[in-house]
């Protein structure tokens, strides 16, 4: 299996947009599942945005060649448990 190589400037540009992408993920979930509209507002919505951004950051770090760290894994777990 070949590895995916992404140029550092592309990863940096993607990383800069993570907060917006996280907001868009929550908005898309609310649009697709209207029953989540109220629960996903406020602190739960922010926790979900944080969890999405944390997971995507880990993905981008992996693309950049970083090895998974215990700290990164713990941040993802912490964000998930806050849900």
């Amino acid at each position: 299996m070949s590895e995916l190589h992404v140029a550092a400037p592309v990863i940096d540009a993607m990383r800069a947009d993570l907060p917006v992408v996280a907001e868009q993920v929550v908005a898309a979930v609310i649009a697709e599942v209207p029953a989540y509209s109220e629960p996903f507002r406020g602190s739960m919505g922010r926790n979900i945005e944080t969890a999405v951004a944390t997971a995507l950051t880990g993905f981008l770090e992996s693309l950049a060649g970083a090895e998974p760290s215990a700290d990164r894994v713990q941040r993802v777990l912490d964000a998930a448990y806050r849900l």
Side-chain angles (χ1 to χ4, degrees), residues 35-61:
Y36 287 172
S37 180
E38 284 306 312
F40 275 32
R41 305 250 181 250
S43 64
M44 185 173 188
R46 287 188 299 278
N47 286 341
I48 292 168
E49 287 173 16
T50 298
V52 168
T54 301
L56 291 175
T57 297
F59 172 72
L60 293 178
E61 288 174 359

Side-chain angles (χ1 to χ4, degrees), residues 69-79 81:
S69 70
D71 181 57
R72 180 173 15 133
V73 171
Q74 189 60 53
R75 286 193 316 260
V76 171
L77 291 173
D78 290 346
Y81 284 123

